[in-house]
Amino acid sequence: MTTKDFKLPDVGEGVAEGELVSWLVAPGDTVEEDQPVAEVETDKALVEVPSPYNGTVKELHVEEGQMVPVGDVIITYEVEGEADEAAAADVEPEPEEPAEAEAETETEAAAEPSESSAKGGRVFAAPSARRLARELGVDIASVSGSGPSGRVTESDVRQAAEETSASAEGEEKRGPRDVDVGGKSSVTKRGESGNGQQPSGVEAAGRDRTLAAPATRRAAKEQGVDLDDVPATEMRDGEAFVSADAVMEYAEAQRAAQEADARAVSEAGAAETETAAESAPAATAEGDLSGERIPYRGVRRTIGEAMQNSKFTAPHVTHHDSTDVSALVELRAELKEVAAERDVRLSYMPFVMKAIAAALKQYPYMNATLDEENEEIVLRDEYHIGVATATDAGLMVPVVEDVDKKGLLQIAEEMNDKIERARARSIGHDELRGSTFTITNFGVVGGEYATPIINYPEVGIMGLGELTERPVVEDGEVVARHTLPLSLSIDHRILDGAVAAEFANQVMEYLQHPKLLLLE
C-alpha cells in the first residue's frame, strides 16, 4: 500500500484556478479510476474532476468553497500494488543548474496538455465524454480529440464507437491520468493575497512560500494579510509554517502601525497625503456595508467581463419591431404532435433559428465579425446559432452548428439537449463557442422589448419578446392575433440601421409564412 497525491488538473482551456464547490467523496471512501470526486467551478463552467486512481481516499486537502490553483494537491490516495511506481515518482534528481531544470520542467508541463493519447500522453476529456466512452465500450485512450488542446469530446467518442467493432470487454482502460506526486495544498505562493504594502514599523518576512492550515488561510484573507509576510511560527520540512494566532497578531500590529502612520501624515499636513487620508474613511465605510456578500468570480465574473467588453467595444444600436405569427402558431401545433411521437419537444425557437439562418444568407454582413488586427470584415460562411440560456450561474450560450443544413426536428433535438446540459452545468466548453449569431429569449419571463448586448465578436443578436395574443388592426377592425416582438442589436461599426431593419423584415417574412422554412 502506498500513498499518492492528486493535484487539481487543468479542467479547462487556459484555466489557472477553480473554486472547489463540493466534494463527492470523503476520507475512507473507495474510488475507481474516472469516478468523479469533486465539483470545481472555473470561470467557464462547473465541471466534475475524475479520479486518476483506483484506491482509497486518505485525506482531502481543500475545503469546499476554497479557490484552488491548478497544480495544488487536493486529495491523497492509498493505492495498492504501485509501490515501485510511487517510489520512482517520489525521487526527484538534484539538478546541477536549478534555473535551467525548472525552466525545462515548466516547458514540459506546458506541452503536456497538447499531447494526445495516440502519442502515449495523458488523455484530456470531459467527464461526460468519459461516461459516454464507458457506456459505449470505447477505450478513451485510443480516441483522438478534436477539442481545444486535443481534448476528447462526446462527438469524438461517438465517432470512435462507430468506427470500431470492439466489444465492451475489449482493451483495458488506460492507466492513471494526470499523475501528480508531491506538493501541499496548504502552500501559499508570494502574491496570492494582500496588497503588498507594509506600514512603517512592521517588518514583513517576505517569503516566497508559506505552509498554513486552511483556517489560517481564511483568517489571513479576512484580515487582508499576506501569509508570506507573517513571521513564521515554526519550520516544517524546511518550510515556514504560520499559525492563525500569528496571523491575528501580525494583522493587529499592521493596524496599529497604520494608525500611527495616519497620525504622522495628519500632523505633517502635506496636501498629497491629506488626499490619501480623506479617501481612507470612505474605503472603511464601504467595507462596513451591511448585507450578504457573494464572491464575484467563476462563471458570473466571466459573463460580466464579456458583457463589459462587448458594450465598450462595439457601439450598440437596437432595432425594435413586431410581427404577426398566427400562421406559425398553427404550424407548430400541427408539427408538435409529430415531433412528440419521435420523442422531440418542438418549441418556437427552432423555427426562429431557421428563419434567422435563411435571412443571414441574404444579409451576409449580419453573419460577420471584425478582424481588428488586420482591419478586415470577415463574412462568415457558416451559420452557427447560439441560444442564450438562463442557468443558476448566469447566462450561457450553447451553440447549434450548421443550422442552415439541418431540419426543424434535428435542430430542436440538439438545442434541447445542449440547453439541458448547460443548465445542469455539464456542457463542454467547445459547445459554448463558435457561434456566428445569437438569439436571446427574454419573452419567457414576460418581457416584450429589450436592448440585448451583442455576443462579441459577433455583430448582431436577436431578442425575442413574449409570443402572445395582442390587438391588431385588420381592414379597419381591431382583432386578436398572436404577435412576436423582436429586438435586434447590431454593431454599428459594421452595420447601418437600414440593413438591420431589412434583415429584421426578412426574418419576419419567414415567421409570417413559416412554411417557407420547409424549403430551406
Side-chain angles (χ1 to χ4, degrees):
M1 184 76 69
T2 184
T3 60
K4 289 206 171 189
D5 290 330
F6 174 45
K7 299 178 182 178
L8 179 66
D10 183 357
V11 292
E13 184 179 7
V15 173
E17 64 179 1
E19 177 185 355
L20 198 145
V21 176
S22 63
W23 283 111
L24 305 179
V25 295
D29 287 355
T30 300
V31 298
E32 298 180 354
E33 180 186 347
D34 289 337
Q35 175 184 334
V37 294
E39 290 184 321
V40 175
E41 182 177 54
T42 69
D43 60 354
K44 300 181 184 296
L46 184 72
V47 297
E48 292 180 341
V49 178
S51 170
Y53 306 117
N54 294 320
T56 303
V57 177
K58 180 180 180 182
E59 183 180 0
L60 305 178
H61 295 276
V62 180
E63 296 185 359
E64 293 182 352
Q66 184 176 338
M67 294 299 295
V68 187
V70 170
D72 269 17
V73 176
I74 58 174
I75 302 180
T76 296
Y77 292 93
E78 288 185 342
V79 182
E80 294 183 357
E82 299 187 13
D84 295 338
E85 179 184 344
D90 284 334
V91 176
E92 297 183 1
E94 287 278 294
E96 296 181 2
E97 298 180 10
E100 293 182 3
E102 181 178 353
E104 182 179 353
T105 301
E106 292 177 354
T107 302
E108 293 176 354
E112 282 180 352
S114 63
E115 294 179 358
S116 66
S117 58
K119 298 179 181 179
R122 299 179 297 178
V123 176
F124 288 87
S128 58
R130 294 178 180 278
R131 286 194 296 271
L132 181 62
R134 289 195 294 271
E135 293 170 1
L136 298 179
V138 173
D139 180 6
I140 201 166
S142 66
V143 180
S144 296
S146 62
S149 301
R151 193 176 184 86
V152 176
T153 65
E154 291 183 36
S155 60
D156 296 328
V157 175
R158 291 192 179 95
Q159 182 177 354
E162 294 174 358
E163 295 175 351
T164 182
S165 58
S167 66
E169 299 178 355
E171 201 171 316
E172 191 177 83
K173 299 288 186 181
R174 64 175 180 82
R177 180 175 73 91
D178 290 345
V179 179
D180 292 312
V181 180
K184 298 179 176 62
S185 65
S186 57
V187 173
T188 299
K189 296 183 180 179
R190 183 73 174 161
E192 286 183 343
S193 62
N195 56 17
Q197 299 178 350
Q198 298 296 329
S200 60
V202 177
E203 183 177 354
R207 294 179 300 274
D208 290 329
R209 292 166 61 88
T210 301
L211 301 182
T216 304
R217 293 165 67 102
R218 284 199 305 272
K221 184 176 181 180
E222 293 169 358
Q223 298 295 326
V225 170
D226 188 335
L227 276 176
D228 294 321
D229 290 336
V230 180
T233 307
E234 59 181 284
M235 300 298 292
R236 294 186 179 180
D237 298 330
E239 298 281 0
F241 177 84
V242 171
S243 66
D245 291 339
V247 168
M248 300 306 293
E249 291 177 3
Y250 182 76
E252 184 61 32
Q254 269 197 325
R255 283 192 288 269
Q258 288 171 348
E259 292 175 1
D261 286 349
R263 287 193 297 271
V265 167
S266 177
E267 293 173 359
E272 183 175 280
T273 50
E274 283 179 354
T275 302
E278 289 174 0
S279 65
T284 302
E286 182 178 353
D288 292 338
L289 291 176
S290 62
E292 182 182 3
R293 291 181 175 269
I294 301 173
Y296 181 58
R297 62 193 183 203
V299 175
R300 180 73 266 170
R301 183 179 64 186
T302 301
I303 294 171
E305 291 173 349
M307 295 291 185
Q308 176 178 294
N309 179 51
S310 176
K311 195 66 175 176
F312 285 96
T313 301
H316 283 52
V317 172
T318 303
H319 172 82
H320 301 287
D321 214 326
S322 180
T323 185
D324 184 341
V325 291
S326 299
L328 174 61
V329 173
E330 294 177 1
L331 180 60
R332 184 248 184 179
E334 293 178 14
L335 299 179
K336 185 177 180 181
E337 294 183 4
V338 177
E341 292 175 357
R342 302 183 186 182
D343 294 327
V344 178
R345 182 172 56 83
L346 182 63
S347 65
Y348 292 105
M349 184 63 77
F351 293 93
V352 178
M353 295 170 70
K354 284 292 288 185
I356 287 178
L360 288 174
K361 288 188 174 183
Q362 300 176 52
Y363 293 90
Y365 277 80
M366 290 295 309
N367 197 55
T369 188
L370 178 61
D371 185 344
E372 298 184 55
E373 182 176 350
N374 294 314
E375 297 184 342
E376 295 175 335
I377 299 173
V378 182
L379 305 181
R380 301 293 302 276
D381 55 4
E382 300 169 315
Y383 301 91
H384 304 331
I385 307 298
V387 181
T389 302
T391 72
D392 292 340
L395 282 178
M396 293 187 181
V397 186
V399 180
V400 179
E401 298 180 345
D402 300 319
V403 171
D404 60 315
K405 301 176 183 178
K406 298 175 180 176
L408 289 170
L409 293 187
Q410 185 179 359
I411 294 172
E413 186 174 21
E414 186 174 340
M415 181 196 70
N416 294 339
D417 172 63
K418 291 187 175 181
I419 287 178
E420 182 179 347
R421 287 189 289 114
R423 288 175 175 158
R425 309 290 295 283
S426 62
I427 192 169
H429 296 160
D430 55 325
E431 297 175 286
L432 299 172
R433 303 190 311 170
S435 56
T436 62
F437 191 93
T438 295
I439 304 173
T440 179
N441 184 12
F442 45 81
V444 294
V445 292
E448 191 166 357
Y449 294 101
T451 54
I453 296 178
I454 296 168
N455 188 17
Y456 190 80
E458 298 166 22
V459 300
I461 181 172
M462 178 75 81
L464 309 181
E466 181 183 15
L467 194 163
T468 188
E469 283 191 315
R470 294 182 176 87
V472 175
V473 177
E474 288 186 359
D475 299 327
E477 296 183 1
V478 177
V479 295
R481 291 287 184 267
H482 284 93
T483 61
L484 176 65
L486 303 174
S487 298
L488 173 66
S489 291
I490 60 169
D491 183 343
H492 214 340
R493 298 175 302 173
I494 311 301
L495 297 160
D496 295 327
V499 177
E502 292 171 1
F503 172 78
N505 289 340
Q506 187 59 61
V507 172
M508 291 190 296
E509 178 72 15
Y510 282 114
L511 297 179
Q512 290 168 3
H513 306 92
K515 290 186 178 180
L516 293 175
L517 297 175
L518 302 179
L519 303 177
E520 294 294 331

